[in-house]
Amino acid sequence: MLLIVIVLTFLLLESASGDAVDAYLLSIGGGDATVAQSLRQAYGLDQSMLARLLLYVSSLARLDLGWSVAFDRPVLDLIIERLPNTLLLMGSATALSFGLGSALGIVAGARPESAGDRVLSTISLILYAIPSFWLGLVLSIVFAVELRWLPTSGIETIASGKAGFARAADIATHLALPVGALALIYMALFLRVMRAGMAEVWALDFVLFARSKGLSRSRIVLRHVARNALLPLVTMLGLQSAAMLGGSVVIESIFAIPGFGRLAQEAVGGRDAPLLMGIILVSAVLVICINLMIDIFYAALDPRVGAQEADA
Amino acid sequence: MRRIQNLMKTSEGAIGFGILATLMLVALFAPILSPGDPLRIAGSPLLAPFIDPAFPLGTDRLGRDVLAGIIHGTRTSLVVGIAAAIAAIAIGLCVGLTAGFAGGAVDEALMRVVDAFQIVPSFLLALAFVSVIGASVPVVVLAIALGAWADPARLTRAQVLSFRERDYVAAARVIGMHPVEIAWKEILPNALPPVLALSAIIVAAAILTEAALSFLGLGDPNIVTWGSMIAEGRNVLRSSPSLSIFPGIALVVTVIGVYLLSEGLTKALAGRRSEA
């Protein structure tokens, strides 16, 4: 599967008009054909397509993602340097949106078609329709420009000399807005899935049975309905992880967070093919890992999943 | 017609249909509503909104009319959104139909490709695609479709698998219909409805992706889009935030319209099923 991703990204970049050498020469103000030729030779760009593909795959097997032309550094180093910021942003946004979304989804789904459900559903519909970058801008207008509560951009105060807890707090205030922007939108999604799932579970026989046993409403909601409705939500979490990674590209560019997404944008600007390919590859690996984790979590949450596989 | 009537009975469907119909009309009559090139300099720069009746929503840094931009931007958003969704569903239907109907090694190979497209963040893919090929409307449409066809393909395949062994398909095989004809005439019409229900979601996602791409400066520079207007307004975010806010509201309203329509459609389809 990863191999297909590799070949696809390779083909995509192959179809580009002009390579990294062109972009590099442009940025240093031009050069003659011999310079271009020697540069191409140095980066192995003069060989046939298949030869380069094989070369690329074999170097990948040795965890060598290539050399970034724009940054003049190894791609893997750049990615490892930027990845923690994105993981922090994504992780906290996911946790926040999942927690809030499922909690509010339980509130909305506890009494389908009630007034509270209507209000929450409407709010979530509107939030879900908002483009994340625009929400980010509006949040930064309100909280950073008008109220001046939070910083507009960056991941921490530059050269503040803070360490330990003070530094963590500094990063937290910088991340509050981007995490908020990303989390609000995904919260709306999780809320909708949770509510829809609960509405479906309400109609099932075992809920009727629980009711006829005379269980209290809150017990039915939490133990019977919500627990079953949580399963599609967990599936959703895995499916959305790729989208969230994509969404963080835009959010990072708005709040100037030196993360994975900004790196992608910089790679695009510098026509840095190895870097862009490395980014797409690492993000694919990341998505696979997240889904693997979710599968394991799923089996723990739903005993039926593991049991079925044991039978088969 | 019955389906449209059912759709209009649900409040979501009616509101969504209303919003989208209005937007379609705006897009269609954009040259009449605001004649001339929306990118031309029309007045003095950075006029505040709601002051000059000639420029109800003000002007941007270069003195371009914001309202004209929003009116013409409707075209881009709808055209790109709908075209990308059509392309994505067409690819998805073909791949899903082939995979589900052919089975075996073909199915296995095609589904691995679908897997590959599903694990790569579609926005990153679109970003890479547009930056590599160069920004123009067809490229943006293709880039968005490239990241969106995997879901309809998977759904179509699942549908085809559930229909493949039905009696009427076996009957078609017995009377000697060509497999391509069976796939096209007997299976596709039955597999289509749930895939089409997905289309509204794809349109909404495509509109948002297009806006995000042009916000990052990867849209066609020669036409006005809401995303590029928001990006342009961002330069003067502190002094005149309205430049970014109005196109954003237009985007939100459009996407809400699409979502409402899709919910109405789902309800109308479910209603039909429960009546039957």
Side-chain angles (χ1 to χ4, degrees):
Chain A
M1 206 150 78
L2 263 180
L3 198 69
I4 298 175
V5 177
I6 295 170
V7 175
L8 282 175
T9 45
F10 186 81
L11 286 179
L12 173 65
L13 292 162
E14 226 19 74
S15 56
S17 58
D19 53 19
V21 172
D22 289 332
Y24 175 69
L25 288 180
L26 206 67
S27 70
I28 60 167
D32 57 33
T34 44
V35 178
Q37 192 58 45
S38 65
L39 274 172
R40 286 210 170 92
Q41 218 152 24
Y43 288 117
L45 287 171
D46 55 346
Q47 288 164 35
S48 81
M49 206 166 119
L50 198 65
R52 271 179 297 140
L53 178 60
L54 288 176
L55 193 72
Y56 189 69
V57 173
S58 72
S59 62
L60 277 180
R62 282 179 275 117
L63 272 181
D64 176 9
L65 287 179
W67 190 266
S68 159
V69 184
F71 288 87
D72 206 17
R73 287 178 57 194
V75 168
L76 195 62
D77 285 10
L78 277 167
I79 289 178
I80 287 174
E81 188 182 292
R82 301 288 190 95
L83 202 54
N85 289 338
T86 300
L87 286 182
L88 193 62
L89 172 67
M90 246 182 84
S92 29
T94 310
L96 195 65
S97 60
F98 192 78
L100 269 179
S102 54
L104 288 175
I106 291 172
V107 172
R111 289 173 192 274
E113 303 298 322
S114 67
D117 173 35
R118 288 271 161 85
V119 171
L120 280 173
S121 295
T122 313
I123 293 176
S124 72
L125 179 73
I126 295 172
L127 275 178
Y128 192 38
I130 294 179
S132 58
F133 62 95
W134 188 68
L135 185 64
L137 279 182
V138 172
L139 285 180
S140 81
I141 292 175
V142 174
F143 290 103
V145 178
E146 294 294 327
L147 293 171
R148 289 176 192 283
W149 286 353
L150 296 163
T152 50
S153 57
I155 180 104
E156 58 183 319
T157 313
I158 296 163
S160 61
K162 285 176 183 162
F165 190 72
R167 181 159 177 246
D170 187 39
I171 292 176
T173 54
H174 278 84
L175 275 182
L177 283 180
V179 166
L182 207 55
L184 271 177
I185 284 161
Y186 285 97
M187 181 199 85
L189 176 73
F190 289 134
L191 196 162
R192 293 177 73 74
V193 174
M194 187 76 192
R195 199 205 87 90
M198 283 185 75
E200 242 164 59
V201 177
W202 272 120
L204 296 180
D205 286 342
F206 73 89
V207 177
L208 193 68
F209 181 68
R211 219 185 256 170
S212 67
K213 271 202 303 190
L215 291 182
S216 71
R217 194 176 173 87
S218 61
R219 198 179 157 87
I220 297 177
V221 167
L222 288 179
R223 294 285 298 266
H224 295 267
V225 181
R227 190 166 172 201
N228 281 288
L230 210 56
L231 296 175
L233 201 63
V234 174
T235 315
M236 201 65 184
L237 193 63
L239 288 176
Q240 286 300 317
S241 57
M244 269 186 125
L245 204 57
S248 74
V249 177
V250 194
I251 289 288
E252 279 172 17
S253 108
I254 291 171
F255 292 101
I257 294 169
F260 206 56
R262 248 185 100 72
L263 194 65
Q265 219 194 335
E266 284 157 4
V268 166
R271 279 210 213 157
D272 197 337
L275 184 55
L276 202 53
M277 263 165 92
I279 288 171
I280 290 181
L281 255 152
V282 172
S283 57
V285 172
L286 210 60
V287 171
I288 292 176
C289 290
I290 293 172
N291 277 295
L292 193 69
M293 266 162 29
I294 282 174
D295 278 351
I296 294 168
F297 181 56
Y298 203 96
L301 202 65
D302 186 355
R304 282 170 301 185
V305 174
Q308 265 167 10
E309 267 164 26
D311 287 345
Chain B
M1 277 333 275
R2 277 270 306 282
R3 284 190 193 176
I4 296 179
Q5 275 174 3
N6 277 343
L7 173 68
M8 299 308 280
K9 267 185 217 151
T10 63
S11 57
E12 287 98 342
I15 298 172
F17 187 80
I19 292 177
L20 284 184
T22 316
L23 288 169
M24 293 267 188
L25 288 178
V26 168
L28 208 58
F29 295 109
I32 299 170
L33 287 171
S34 93
D37 184 0
L39 288 173
R40 78 181 189 284
I41 292 167
S44 49
L46 289 178
L47 271 179
F50 312 124
I51 291 175
D52 189 339
F55 305 106
L57 297 184
T59 56
D60 71 359
R61 278 197 307 170
L62 297 174
R64 295 178 294 202
D65 188 355
V66 173
L67 183 63
I70 288 181
I71 288 174
H72 285 263
T74 315
R75 283 191 150 183
T76 323
S77 278
L78 288 184
V79 166
V80 171
I82 293 170
I86 290 174
I89 287 178
I91 303 174
L93 274 178
C94 288
V95 172
L97 203 58
T98 316
F101 201 68
V106 178
D107 182 24
E108 191 65 21
L110 282 175
M111 289 326 282
R112 289 294 81 76
V113 176
V114 170
D115 282 343
F117 272 94
Q118 270 185 327
I119 55 170
V120 174
S122 56
F123 186 73
L124 271 180
L125 191 66
L127 193 77
F129 191 78
V130 173
S131 71
V132 159
I133 313 269
S136 68
V137 172
V139 172
V140 171
V141 167
L142 204 61
I144 297 172
L146 213 55
W149 65 271
D151 285 337
R154 207 170 267 284
L155 187 61
T156 311
R157 175 176 171 271
Q159 285 281 313
V160 171
L161 286 183
S162 77
F163 287 118
R164 203 173 58 173
E165 304 303 329
R166 298 275 172 98
D167 286 344
Y168 67 91
V169 178
R173 211 172 280 147
V174 167
I175 62 168
M177 272 172 92
H178 192 268
V180 174
E181 205 182 350
I182 297 177
W184 197 250
K185 282 197 179 152
E186 302 291 329
I187 293 183
L188 185 65
N190 288 304
L192 209 52
V195 180
L196 288 185
L198 192 69
S199 64
I201 306 288
I202 298 180
V203 171
I207 291 175
L208 288 177
T209 310
E210 187 276 329
L213 279 176
S214 53
F215 176 75
L216 291 180
L218 285 166
D220 190 329
N222 298 316
I223 50 170
V224 59
T225 67
W226 292 336
S228 62
M229 287 176 76
I230 296 175
E232 162 65 29
R234 189 182 163 202
N235 294 317
V236 283
L237 196 59
R238 277 166 199 270
S239 51
S240 34
S242 67
L243 285 183
S244 296
I245 289 175
F246 287 128
I249 291 174
L251 255 174
V252 174
V253 169
T254 311
V255 177
I256 288 180
V258 177
Y259 280 142
L260 286 176
L261 191 69
S262 101
E263 269 189 22
L265 268 177
T266 316
K267 276 194 184 171
L269 283 174
R272 204 169 52 107
R273 221 171 284 149
S274 62
E275 274 167 32

